[in-house]
Amino acid sequence: MSHALRRLSRRRTAAWAILVLFVLITLLPFYWMLRISLSNNRTLFANPGSLMPTDFTFGAFKRVLGIATLAEATAEGGSGANIDFWRYLANSVVTSAVITVCQVFFSAMAAYAFARLRWPGREKVFFVFLTALMIPPIFTALPNFVTVKQLGLLNTYAGIVLPYLFMTPFAVFFLRQFFLNISREVEEAAIVDGAGHAHIFFRLIVPMSSAPIATISLLVYIGAWNEYFWPLLVGQENDVRVLTVALGIFRAQSPQAGPDWSGLMAATLLAALPVIALFTVFGRWIVNSIQFSGIK
């Protein structure tokens, strides 16, 4: 018995050691971003192997937030390029929120139709619908761009959100898996009481599915927040430019001989903070909802 307990203890210790190693590997890029952003860009490469910031300073964050003067920026090795952080942050929040609300709403209605309504060819249509998951997004970028241009929606919020505004195969599949697990007795009782499909959907299905709906909303929001290629194509003006595109432009504005790495890492870290916070708060909720909905 004692031998078996010792073997179990060794296995548990090894499992924890591997888990800690993976956690450290995952966190290392974020720590390195923080280390560079807290370093003086002029002395950044003086000791590149150091785990601590070189010539510790908050100057990079001041440059990103627009509270550093040009003299202070150049003194710390800044390129003189600037980024209207708060405007681009607001643009990202607005576009991500609109995409999330609309996409989750339409995906939930489609999932309800595929899971709860009986109509001829439902499973075949659903299979064809899921095949869209195999189409790379880059294949639809050109026709979407032509459509948005012909509609006169370039450099507008509408042009940025339009391709993502309606349902997506993954969101429909995710919600459908959960809707299938809801007891039909509840729905049949509502039908006996004279409830229609709209009443059942909004008063029964949606409240009973608050956890998976919140989870897919979070996943959609994070995906919209991280989107880069499409906003780069259709949102070039400052008024609608999102944060991910602004970071790339900030990097391009830096001279090739001496990029402002500290400022770029500071801006990237600030842009990643909302997503990190969301995952930290709702990470367990996401895992539990995925397991419950039957996605392996």
Side-chain angles (χ1 to χ4, degrees):
M1 181 66 69
S2 60
H3 178 70
L5 289 177
R6 286 197 297 270
R7 183 192 300 178
L8 180 61
S9 177
R10 287 196 296 269
R11 289 179 178 177
R12 184 173 299 175
T13 302
W16 275 104
I18 294 174
L19 180 62
V20 170
L21 178 62
F22 274 106
V23 170
L24 292 176
I25 293 174
T26 303
L27 294 178
L28 181 60
F30 295 100
Y31 172 75
W32 207 250
M33 287 169 54
L34 180 62
R35 180 251 179 193
I36 295 176
S37 62
L38 293 175
S39 299
N40 188 318
N41 195 66
R42 191 174 296 278
T43 60
L44 183 60
F45 296 100
N47 191 6
S50 174
L51 294 177
M52 301 302 294
T54 59
D55 193 9
F56 181 91
T57 178
F58 288 105
F61 290 97
K62 293 181 179 179
R63 294 197 295 276
V64 170
L65 297 176
I67 57 178
T69 64
L70 180 60
E72 291 174 338
T74 55
E76 294 188 357
S79 63
N82 58 72
I83 175 173
D84 194 348
F85 181 82
W86 296 113
R87 169 181 288 182
Y88 302 146
L89 177 66
N91 290 341
S92 291
V93 170
V94 169
T95 56
S96 299
V98 171
I99 289 172
T100 300
V101 172
C102 295
Q103 189 177 130
V104 172
F105 176 71
F106 291 118
S107 295
M109 290 197 297
Y112 175 75
F114 283 122
R116 312 300 297 184
L117 304 182
R118 295 184 177 93
W119 42 279
R122 184 185 68 173
E123 300 303 324
K124 293 181 181 179
V125 173
F126 183 66
F127 173 77
V128 173
F129 184 74
L130 284 185
T131 58
L133 287 170
M134 297 184 293
I135 301 176
I138 192 66
F139 284 3
T140 60
L142 181 57
N144 284 341
F145 178 80
V146 173
T147 302
V148 169
K149 183 178 180 181
Q150 291 178 345
L151 292 174
L153 297 178
L154 291 180
N155 294 310
T156 64
Y157 289 120
I160 294 176
V161 304
L162 188 59
Y164 309 98
L165 207 57
F166 300 102
M167 65 196 77
T168 59
F170 173 75
V172 173
F173 173 73
F174 182 94
L175 294 174
R176 175 183 176 272
Q177 294 302 105
F178 186 87
F179 291 170
L180 288 172
N181 294 323
I182 297 177
S183 174
R184 285 202 173 270
E185 284 74 10
V186 177
E187 185 177 353
E188 291 171 355
I191 294 175
V192 171
D193 291 337
H197 291 301
H199 181 90
I200 293 172
F201 176 72
F202 288 107
R203 296 297 182 90
L204 292 178
I205 302 299
V206 171
M208 294 175 67
S209 309
S210 58
I213 288 177
T215 299
I216 196 62
S217 298
L218 181 60
L219 296 177
V220 171
Y221 188 90
I222 292 173
W225 182 275
N226 292 329
E227 186 63 37
Y228 174 78
F229 183 68
W230 179 253
L232 177 65
L233 286 179
V234 300
Q236 289 291 326
E237 293 185 359
N238 282 334
D239 291 341
V240 297
R241 184 176 293 157
V242 298
L243 194 55
T244 50
V245 176
L247 293 178
I249 294 177
F250 178 77
R251 168 66 180 86
Q253 288 176 340
S254 301
Q256 297 299 319
D260 186 3
W261 291 114
S262 296
L264 182 60
M265 290 299 103
T268 304
L269 188 61
L270 290 175
L273 282 180
V275 176
I276 295 174
L278 288 174
F279 264 117
T280 302
V281 175
F282 298 106
R284 184 181 296 274
W285 198 358
I286 293 176
V287 173
N288 291 339
S289 294
I290 291 176
Q291 290 176 343
F292 189 77
S293 62
I295 297 179
K296 304 297 183 184

